[in-house]
Amino acid sequence: RDFEEASLKELAESIREYGILQPLIVTKKEKETDFGSEVEYQLVAGERRFLAAKLLGLSTVPAIVKTETPERAKLEMAIIENLQREDLNPIEAARAFAKLQDEFGMTQREIANRIGKSRETIANTVRLLSLSGEVQKALGERKISEGHARVILTVDNFLKQQEILAQIIANNLSVREAEKLARGESAVSRLRTSGPLLADADLQHLRNKLEETLGAKVKLIQHGDRGRITINFFSPEEFQGIIKKILGSENSAEEL
């Protein structure tokens, strides 16, 4: 459901440089008219690549053309392909797993085998749908991580869940700190006497410079004198581009 404009633009730039490496999947439909045969193609998989290609004004895209497929099979194929996207948020994945269970009668083990994950992963992801709408929204918008959401799931009291969610977002709590909060402990211990390495303005400036250099979305989080840097990519092409910028143009992920 969610296609971030910024990530589509990043994918478009990657396609401009490297082309579309993975073909779209379409089905071909022919219809007889008074003037001959009319051909239509229905997109089954590759919507992000298709939208990015439109952004670039490309007139053609590489595609694998399937023979006419029953609607049910097409929907199943599209769901499975979407589940293999790296940028799919956990709530979208949970809805897709639930749809495969409820509408396609697949067991969690069958789903796990189809997409190469464990049955436990499928079960834990589907459980996220029992979160309140507000927590699901925060997870879908990546304001909290899946680990944070699992911590909130351990709390039965609805008001307590909302309180923990607000604390996580307001204080940028780690999963471990959120666990302490869920157990009724204080999470303030994360504040160290040494203080942060960088002021907020410097951190923002550094993040902007990294994004400009790598051509990718970067997240910088610091906890006292420690922290982490996360670099997001949304396609194999973007991943290759980031690796080349970090290690030099002569390197690629395949050679490592």
Side-chain angles (χ1 to χ4, degrees), residues 63-123:
I64 295 171
V65 182
K66 298 274 188 185
T67 53
E68 202 156 339
T69 313
E71 288 300 315
R72 183 183 177 86
K74 280 194 286 193
L75 182 56
E76 183 181 335
M77 195 188 309
I79 290 173
I80 296 292
E81 199 266 352
N82 267 330
L83 284 168
Q84 293 167 345
R85 277 172 43 198
E86 290 296 328
D87 66 319
L88 196 68
N89 73 57
I91 291 299
E92 287 180 318
R95 289 186 187 125
F97 293 151
K99 194 176 187 74
L100 289 172
Q101 282 185 131
D102 301 339
E103 295 185 26
F104 292 84
M106 293 175 70
T107 66
Q108 290 181 350
R109 193 166 298 283
E110 286 171 334
I111 298 170
N113 290 337
R114 291 288 294 274
I115 63 171
K117 294 184 183 291
S118 69
R119 190 201 64 77
E120 289 73 19
T121 299
I122 308 301

Side-chain angles (χ1 to χ4, degrees), residues 187-206:
V188 215
S189 58
R190 72 194 188 94
L191 301 174
R192 294 179 177 82
T193 51
S194 56
L197 288 175
L198 294 170
D200 287 346
D202 294 331
L203 199 68
Q204 178 72 21
H205 176 70
L206 181 58

Side-chain angles (χ1 to χ4, degrees), residues 171-174 177 187-200 203 220-228:
N171 299 309
N172 196 22
L173 297 182
S174 69
E177 289 156 0
V188 215
S189 58
R190 72 194 188 94
L191 301 174
R192 294 179 177 82
T193 51
S194 56
L197 288 175
L198 294 170
D200 287 346
L203 199 68
L220 282 176
I221 296 175
Q222 60 176 348
H223 299 298
D225 54 1
R226 294 187 298 172
R228 66 178 180 270

Side-chain angles (χ1 to χ4, degrees), residues 4-32:
E4 291 183 7
E5 188 180 346
S7 74
L8 278 178
K9 286 180 178 175
E10 288 170 8
L11 178 57
E13 286 307 309
S14 179
I15 288 173
R16 189 198 304 276
E17 187 171 352
Y18 301 104
I20 297 176
L21 303 182
Q22 186 180 358
L24 286 68
I25 298 176
V26 299
T27 54
K28 183 179 181 180
K29 302 174 83 173
E30 292 190 47
K31 189 168 61 176
E32 291 299 324

